[in-house]
Amino acid sequence: MKTTHWLRRASCRPLRGFRITLLLLYLFTLSLSLPAQNPVVQTSYTADPAPLVVGDRMYVYTSHDEAGADFFWMHDWHVYSTTDMVNWTDHGSPLALETFSWADDRAWAGQAIERDGKFYWYICAHSKLSGGMAIGVAVANSPTGPFRDALGKPLYDDGSWDYIDPTVFIDDDGQAWLMWGNPRVYYLKLNRDMTTYSRSLGRIAMTEESFGSPAMNEREKGKTYRDSYVEGPWLTKRAGTYQLLYAAGGVPEHISYSTAPSPAGPWTYAGPVMPLSDTGSFTNHCGVADYKGHSYFFYHTGKLPGGGGFGRSIAVEEFSYNPDGSFPVILPTDKGVKPVDTFNPYRRVQAETMAFSRGVKTEQNDR
């Protein structure tokens, strides 16, 4: 018995070592062939990412490009979330044009924010009431909805086509600011209820000092300017300084930013954040957020198969602020970001949570 037992142990030792060697070789080979993490979502065309951290999860609210579109004919908005920045859960489309009785087309960029236990999602869409673009707001008790129109009418609508791409920010003193605009920047100071405002619409002065150039109709013919504001503002604050990131430069777009002592200004041009790069999309739109001790810059590209300027895909890069709180230059990559947490496979994980997919499309199915 002792001899047999010894033989068994002896014969197993090289086999166990062989298995470990094969496993290590497999893991090493797998690490070399792991797909890039950008674009973040590969099962649908997504654009205009707006990150929001709620508790232990990072949520990203996106617009949605239709496959094969020849313009920004967009009908709904989507939500994705993660706890590790690599595995993302698709929460489907909790908000669509049908949510707003006054809207009939162009479900373009928006941003969501939490206040007093409710979630407010500010969007822009074409208004049946005025014939222009309008700013609307939906509300929900959960970051993934269901969302409903908070007002039953636009939050702001006067027939202008400038009213696109709202960004929302709650300051340290509790004052909420709503900004939007192409080719100018507008702002409202929201009341505590997040659906009304007490003052008239403000407009930021577009000057060479504030955004690298004045408004288009005020530019000198033949003069070369440093930059120009276009659209897609994102308002944030760092080290006591307000920062407004935005799509800049015309077509194709890059991302630049300006700084100010107040959201109402005066703004000072601070330079590019993501210079013009080979993203496969002639537009760009960014959002920034800190999560689990890391800083992230979201943007969009046209790098999915069949993608492009009207078939965009959100992407993300990790970055570190400069010591003074200013933005560094951030370049787009296919690699994306590393996980910031472990993923527990010994639990129920439904199919709408995935790290990467190739050649797969998804559609919402409430069953």
Side-chain angles (χ1 to χ4, degrees):
M1 291 293 292
K2 289 181 180 179
T3 303
T4 304
H5 181 63
W6 179 87
L7 285 173
R8 283 179 177 169
R9 290 185 64 190
S11 63
C12 286
R13 280 175 181 165
L15 181 58
R16 185 182 295 119
F18 180 66
R19 284 175 175 168
I20 291 173
T21 301
L22 283 177
L23 178 60
L24 290 174
L25 284 172
Y26 169 74
L27 291 174
F28 175 73
T29 304
L30 183 63
S31 69
L32 294 179
S33 61
L34 282 173
Q37 294 300 325
N38 278 332
V40 170
V41 177
Q42 306 88 31
T43 54
S44 181
Y45 293 121
T46 55
D48 310 316
L52 174 66
V53 177
V54 181
D56 192 49
R57 296 193 76 88
M58 165 82 83
Y59 293 85
V60 177
Y61 298 79
T62 78
S63 55
H64 172 220
D65 288 338
E66 297 291 334
D70 59 357
F71 185 65
F72 305 111
W73 307 118
M74 301 155 72
H75 309 297
D76 57 8
W77 296 267
H78 288 237
V79 183
Y80 302 85
S81 74
T82 183
T83 57
D84 59 17
M85 295 303 296
V86 171
N87 295 281
W88 290 84
T89 299
D90 184 346
H91 297 283
S93 172
L95 190 65
L97 287 173
E98 291 76 17
T99 307
F100 305 97
S101 61
W102 51 267
D104 61 3
D105 197 6
R106 308 189 190 198
W108 290 357
Q111 183 183 346
I113 199 167
E114 180 183 11
R115 181 156 218 176
D116 298 333
K118 293 185 179 295
F119 297 85
Y120 298 89
W121 195 344
Y122 298 87
I123 59 90
C124 62
H126 185 260
S127 170
K128 294 189 289 188
L129 306 179
S130 69
M133 292 296 291
I135 304 298
V137 56
V139 64
N141 294 322
S142 160
T144 57
F147 283 86
R148 60 177 177 82
D149 188 347
L151 295 172
K153 62 181 180 179
L155 173 64
Y156 205 92
D157 179 16
D158 65 9
S160 173
W161 283 87
D162 290 1
Y163 299 165
I164 68 170
D165 302 350
T167 179
V168 61
F169 173 77
I170 299 177
D171 210 345
D172 301 330
D173 62 1
Q175 177 62 60
W177 295 81
L178 187 65
M179 305 181 79
W180 67 79
N182 172 343
R184 296 177 179 271
V185 187
Y186 302 85
Y187 67 89
L188 286 175
K189 295 179 72 172
L190 295 172
N191 294 326
R192 182 81 191 191
D193 62 12
M194 302 297 285
T195 60
T196 61
Y197 52 92
S198 56
R199 298 186 181 181
S200 60
L201 183 69
R203 192 171 78 172
I204 302 296
M206 310 298 293
T207 66
E208 190 170 355
E209 292 73 26
S210 60
F211 296 102
S213 69
M216 187 173 296
N217 61 352
E218 299 171 1
R219 296 174 194 170
E220 297 180 25
K221 186 176 181 180
K223 181 176 179 178
T224 300
Y225 293 95
R226 290 180 296 170
D227 213 335
S228 62
Y229 170 90
V230 178
E231 59 186 352
W234 180 274
L235 180 62
T236 186
K237 187 179 184 181
R238 192 81 179 186
T241 298
Y242 297 89
Q243 300 168 321
L244 188 68
L245 295 90
Y246 47 88
V251 177
E253 295 174 345
H254 58 273
I255 302 295
S256 293
Y257 81 115
S258 300
T259 63
S262 162
W267 290 92
T268 301
Y269 177 72
V273 178
M274 178 169 279
L276 196 61
S277 306
D278 183 19
T279 61
S281 170
F282 57 83
T283 65
N284 207 341
H285 190 116
C286 76
V288 296
D290 289 343
Y291 180 59
K292 294 188 175 181
H294 301 257
S295 296
Y296 294 101
F297 179 90
F298 288 84
Y299 60 105
H300 66 228
T301 74
K303 290 191 174 182
L304 274 188
F310 303 120
R312 297 160 295 175
S313 304
I314 65 168
V316 63
E317 307 294 343
E318 184 178 350
F319 73 97
S320 296
Y321 286 93
N322 294 323
D324 62 356
S326 62
F327 280 93
V329 170
I330 303 169
L331 298 177
T333 70
D334 294 333
K335 183 179 179 181
V337 301
K338 296 179 180 179
V340 294
D341 207 344
T342 55
F343 185 86
N344 177 16
Y346 300 104
R347 61 182 175 89
R348 181 175 180 177
V349 181
Q350 296 190 192
E352 53 265 37
T353 297
M354 60 189 77
F356 200 89
S357 65
R358 198 180 298 264
V360 175
K361 288 186 178 182
T362 59
E363 65 180 19
Q364 190 162 343
N365 187 327
D366 294 334
R367 292 179 299 172

